[in-house]
Amino acid sequence: MNAERIEQVSRVRRFNRTVTERVGVLHDGYLGRDRPIGEARLLWEIGERDQQDVRRLRERLGLDSGYVSRLLRALESDGLVAVEPHPRDRRVRTVRLTEAGRAERGLLDERSDELAGSLLEPLNSAQRARLVAAMAEVDRLLTASTVTLDAVDPGHPDAEYCLRAYFTELQERFDTGFDPAQSLLPDAGGLRPPHGLFLVARAHGEPVGCAGLKLPAGAPAEIKRMWVAPAARGLGLGRRFLAELERLAAGEGRTVLRLDTNKALDAAIGLYHSCGFEEVPAFNDEPYAHHWFEKRIGRAA
């Protein structure tokens, strides 16, 4: 680890110590209640919806199943939550707040507001603005660091969710509308090994983006169906997708990576230029494309 990296790690650890001390997570009774922060956070998260899928809840919080089960048992024994099988699939467990749970969550909300106010109160107005802005930036960057890129089958529910959202956005943004049947987008088989692959980005277990890679025999690799959810834009996911697909294509021995795009997608066009792609003459007859890009990768780069 070089000196710069050591200093960065030291600063992160110092920040973590300051935050954990200041927000009170070192105490067994978080916010003055008789439960630790793990139970309090889970209770708050459950109350975000009327009923939660326990597996999705665990993925969103990044907790292992054994720990979540222990937390749920503690909350259930206090009469704050009810854990039940899903009415349409008894293999799936769901959880909801009881009336007592809703009251406890309301109290936690009030005390959380008081704690947040206590962080701001000693500061002057300029310091408060700086602190809130810095927190927003930290939140954005920490969120970006938790996003995963996973290779999945194009038929996976998360992949299908992203593709539906992608097609809907193209329909709204293109002057001509968008019909997948008229496009040269590959079918699912074209994005399965060995012909290609498909990546899904997930934040807190929820799909927030996708990108496919075609690996046709005797032809350059090609990026297809790259999309990032509006709520996840600004986290650098487009750049991460491009870097990962370039790495994977180079690992397959490819020396050229291609993509095409529509003139309406100006942010994407800017991203491709900044990532080293160069505009080239049309290499296909995609009816929705106005720009074609190419990049030398691997040994050719």
Side-chain angles (χ1 to χ4, degrees), residues 218-288:
E222 189 173 347
I223 294 173
K224 305 297 291 186
R225 299 179 175 179
M226 194 172 89
W227 172 80
V228 175
R233 290 171 191 170
L235 300 180
L237 292 187
R239 196 173 295 272
R240 276 186 67 186
F241 272 132
L242 291 176
E244 181 64 6
L245 293 176
E246 179 179 333
R247 184 186 71 81
L248 293 169
E252 294 291 329
R254 304 308 172 96
T255 57
V256 176
L257 185 59
R258 288 175 168 175
L259 58 87
D260 59 65
T261 193
N262 186 278
K263 63 182 180 181
L265 305 180
D266 49 351
I269 293 170
L271 174 65
Y272 302 146
H273 281 297
S274 71
C275 288
F277 284 82
E278 298 181 350
E279 289 206 50
V280 296
F283 51 75
N284 61 27
D285 56 356
E286 167 61 58
Y288 295 106

Side-chain angles (χ1 to χ4, degrees), residues 4-283:
E4 181 183 12
R5 181 67 168 173
I6 291 173
E7 176 61 19
Q8 289 175 339
V9 169
S10 176
R11 286 177 177 271
V12 169
R13 292 185 61 185
R14 185 161 57 248
F15 175 82
N16 289 344
R17 290 193 296 271
T18 300
V19 170
T20 53
E21 178 184 350
R22 191 66 181 88
V23 302
V25 301
L26 301 179
H27 303 288
D28 288 337
Y30 182 61
L31 295 176
R33 306 301 291 160
D34 58 353
R35 59 183 50 84
I37 188 172
E39 291 181 18
R41 175 59 195 276
L42 188 61
L43 184 72
W44 188 89
E45 199 72 36
I46 292 168
E48 282 291 272
R49 301 178 187 174
D50 292 337
Q51 189 176 58
Q52 297 267 15
D53 181 320
V54 172
R55 181 181 63 83
R56 283 288 192 183
L57 188 65
R58 174 172 57 81
E59 291 175 349
R60 188 158 65 252
L61 293 175
L63 301 175
D64 68 71
S65 58
Y67 182 55
V68 169
S69 293
R70 291 194 296 275
L71 293 178
L72 288 176
R73 282 197 297 270
L75 294 174
E76 197 171 22
S77 67
D78 288 343
L80 301 178
V81 303
V83 181
E84 304 159 331
H86 194 282
R88 293 190 298 276
D89 187 349
R90 299 188 65 81
R91 297 169 299 178
V92 176
R93 291 192 306 158
T94 64
V95 59
R96 59 178 175 80
L97 295 184
T98 62
E99 184 175 348
R102 289 191 291 273
E104 179 68 12
R105 187 179 187 271
L107 181 58
L108 286 173
D109 267 340
E110 291 177 10
R111 296 198 175 181
S112 293
D113 286 344
E114 292 170 3
L115 175 60
S118 74
L119 297 176
L120 298 170
E121 185 61 32
L123 306 177
N124 61 42
S125 59
Q127 290 174 319
R128 291 174 189 170
R130 287 172 56 199
L131 178 60
V132 171
M135 286 178 166
E137 179 70 359
V138 169
D139 178 62
R140 185 181 70 84
L141 293 173
L142 287 179
T143 298
S145 74
T146 63
V147 175
T148 62
L149 299 186
D150 306 305
V152 304
D153 187 272
H156 188 283
D158 286 352
E160 292 183 343
Y161 166 83
C162 289
L163 290 173
R164 285 195 301 270
Y166 170 61
F167 294 153
T168 298
E169 181 169 352
L170 297 188
Q171 170 66 28
E172 294 170 351
R173 296 189 63 180
F174 288 4
D175 293 341
T176 58
F178 179 77
D179 180 1
Q182 302 300 316
S183 173
L184 292 183
L185 293 172
D187 60 24
L191 296 175
R192 290 190 180 107
H195 308 293
L197 56 89
F198 197 78
L199 300 178
V200 166
R202 294 187 176 101
H204 306 299
E206 300 294 331
V208 294
C210 65
L213 181 68
K214 285 177 61 179
L215 296 168
E222 189 173 347
I223 294 173
K224 305 297 291 186
R225 299 179 175 179
M226 194 172 89
W227 172 80
V228 175
R233 290 171 191 170
L235 300 180
L237 292 187
R239 196 173 295 272
R240 276 186 67 186
F241 272 132
L242 291 176
E244 181 64 6
L245 293 176
E246 179 179 333
R247 184 186 71 81
L248 293 169
E252 294 291 329
R254 304 308 172 96
T255 57
V256 176
L257 185 59
R258 288 175 168 175
L259 58 87
D260 59 65
T261 193
N262 186 278
K263 63 182 180 181
L265 305 180
D266 49 351
I269 293 170
L271 174 65
Y272 302 146
H273 281 297
S274 71
C275 288
F277 284 82
E278 298 181 350
E279 289 206 50
V280 296
F283 51 75

